[in-house]
Amino acid sequence: MRVLITGVDGFIGKNLRVRLQERTDFSLIPLGRTDFQAGLRRAMVDTDVIVHLAGENRPEDESGFTIGNVGTTEQLIDEVKRQSREIPILYASSRQAELDNPYGRSKRDAELLLQQFSIQTEAPVVIYRLPGVFGKWCRPRYNSVVATFCHEVARGAEPAVFGGERELSLVYVDD
C-alpha cells in the first residue's frame, strides 16, 4: 500500500514515518512543509491512502492557524478531487477542536471541510481527535505539555500548571 503522509517532518509525522518504514507492506510518499504545494499533485498520483498530519500549532500570528490547518486541508481536498478517484483520507485533528481558541477553531474548520467533502463525494474520511501526544522527538514549549513539564523539572524549575482542575488526556506517540 502506498501511503502519502503530509506533515512528514513534524513530530507525529516523523514517528509515523519511522514506524511504517519498519514494515514491508507500506511504501511511503513523504510530503513536508517545504514541498507541500509543489509536490502535492505529483505525490497524489500513486497514493492509495493519505494520512494528513500537515498543520500549524505555533504560528507567528493567529492567521497562521487558518493558513496552516484549513488552507492545507483545502489544497489536499482540491487535489484529491482533481485526481478523479477515491483516496481515503485519515486526518489527525485535536481535542482542541472542541475548544473556542484559534487553534481549536482551525482544526474544527478543517474537520468540517473534510466531512463536507466526504458527504459530497462519498470519499472515505476518518478524523482522529487526538489528545495530548507525547514521545520521542517532541519539543518543550512547542508541541507537548509533557515535554515542557519534563524539561522544566529536569532543570530544577517550577513548571507552570494551567487549568489544574481539568484532567489531562494523553497518548504516547507510538500508541
Side-chain angles (χ1 to χ4, degrees):
M1 176 178 295
R2 295 173 310 253
V3 180
L4 169 61
I5 303 174
T6 68
V8 72
D9 298 320
F11 163 54
I12 296 173
K14 187 174 182 177
N15 279 279
L16 180 60
R17 177 186 222 171
V18 166
R19 176 65 183 112
L20 292 182
Q21 285 175 331
E22 294 171 350
R23 300 181 53 148
T24 58
D25 51 343
F26 290 103
S27 172
L28 298 185
I29 305 166
L31 197 58
R33 184 183 301 256
T34 58
D35 58 348
F36 186 84
Q37 288 186 347
L40 185 59
R41 181 166 294 164
R42 182 180 22 76
M44 207 65 83
V45 172
D46 292 325
T47 297
D48 294 317
V49 65
I50 299 165
V51 180
H52 183 36
L53 303 174
E56 184 65 67
N57 64 338
R58 294 282 188 262
E60 292 182 20
D61 65 73
E62 284 188 17
S63 66
F65 288 121
T66 301
I67 294 165
N69 295 321
V70 180
T72 58
T73 302
E74 287 174 329
Q75 290 175 321
L76 185 72
I77 289 170
D78 288 346
E79 191 53 45
V80 171
K81 286 179 182 177
R82 240 182 248 114
Q83 294 291 321
S84 297
R85 61 189 182 93
E86 199 172 273
I87 306 171
I89 301 172
L90 288 76
Y91 178 58
S93 187
S94 167
R95 289 201 182 151
Q96 290 283 318
E98 299 165 7
L99 303 178
D100 188 26
N101 60 50
Y103 176 68
R105 287 189 299 271
S106 70
K107 295 302 270 187
R108 186 172 51 252
D109 289 348
E111 288 179 7
L112 291 172
L113 287 172
L114 287 163
Q115 289 168 345
Q116 291 167 354
F117 168 70
S118 181
I119 290 167
Q120 292 168 352
T121 64
E122 298 183 11
V125 170
V126 178
I127 297 170
Y128 294 98
R129 277 196 177 170
L130 300 173
V133 183
F134 69 98
K136 59 190 179 297
W137 303 311
C138 60
R139 296 175 9 206
R141 293 188 191 91
Y142 184 73
N143 57 12
S144 170
V145 67
V146 173
T148 303
F149 188 86
C150 292
H151 178 82
E152 295 294 321
V153 169
R155 282 156 182 74
E158 183 71 29
V161 177
F162 302 98
E165 66 285 349
R166 272 190 8 223
E167 186 174 307
L168 184 59
S169 213
L170 300 170
V171 64
Y172 181 64
V173 71
D174 285 345
D175 293 340

